[in-house]
Amino acid sequence: LFINGNPKPAQWFYGLLFLFLVIIDQVSKKIFIGVDNQLWFITFRSVENSGLIFNLDFNQAINSLLIFLALIFFCWQFYKNLRQRNIFLLSAHVMIIAGACSNIIDRIFFGKVFDFLSVGLGFTFNLADAYIFFGLFLLLTTFSNQKKCNIS
């Protein structure tokens, strides 16, 4: 992804990954909103969510502030880590940023986020929430592995 240490090719890759994730999330919401069906252990059920991931909800002002601060933090971290050439670390940041931006798009245009996936854990989510969750998981495992490598 890097050519002679130049991050430009990587920026294109991560930019395209960001766009791909946002588009897939937005299209999936258009397809599954209004659908009430079950496929194996996944239930498709439309839910309007004015709160945060895992249906956490404070109030609109606090929710918006938390989203804004988190988005700024992860964008800054992505930029700061761009030269590290760690595809897992950078992809994790892109997943988190794409998930947050896709849900922000919903909030701007509809005043709420549309969730449609349920796997029997007591909450309903969408692909953007999954991006955020797996991005955070990937960040934690990447940092954990880096610390193990630095200790050895």
Side-chain angles (χ1 to χ4, degrees):
L1 292 176
F2 290 82
I3 299 174
N4 296 329
N6 182 0
K8 289 285 185 204
Q11 290 171 351
W12 278 101
F13 170 77
Y14 293 114
L16 290 174
L17 177 61
F18 169 83
L19 286 175
F20 175 77
L21 293 174
V22 170
I23 289 169
I24 292 297
D25 178 64
Q26 290 297 309
V27 168
S28 70
K29 290 172 185 172
K30 302 295 183 263
I31 292 171
F32 289 104
I33 295 304
V35 172
D36 191 9
N37 207 344
Q38 186 160 350
L39 180 65
W40 297 301
F41 64 93
I42 300 172
T43 302
F44 299 98
R45 178 182 55 224
S46 297
V47 175
E48 295 177 358
N49 181 2
S50 60
L52 303 171
I53 190 169
F54 303 126
N55 298 329
L56 293 175
D57 196 4
F58 301 102
N59 66 42
Q60 187 175 2
I62 292 175
N63 290 348
S64 297
L65 178 64
L66 290 174
I67 293 166
F68 177 75
L69 292 175
L71 187 58
I72 294 297
F73 173 78
F74 284 108
C75 286
W76 175 70
Q77 286 295 310
F78 174 80
Y79 178 76
K80 190 175 101 172
N81 292 306
L82 192 56
R83 290 207 176 262
Q84 281 194 14
R85 303 179 188 175
N86 184 328
I87 192 168
F88 298 110
L89 180 66
L90 295 171
S91 295
H93 283 95
V94 170
M95 290 173 73
I96 294 166
I97 294 165
C101 287
S102 192
N103 280 341
I104 288 170
I105 290 168
D106 287 356
R107 290 176 193 284
I108 289 170
F109 288 103
F110 307 111
K112 57 192 156 262
V113 174
F114 295 103
D115 294 335
F116 60 90
L117 293 166
S118 176
V119 291
L121 298 175
F123 55 86
T124 306
F125 59 98
N126 58 42
L127 292 180
D129 295 336
Y131 301 160
I132 294 168
F133 177 81
F134 287 116
L136 289 170
F137 178 78
L138 191 55
L139 269 182
L140 291 174
T141 57
T142 301
F143 286 136
S144 175
N145 288 337
Q146 284 179 347
K147 288 192 183 275
K148 287 179 187 175
C149 291
N150 290 339
I151 292 172
S152 314

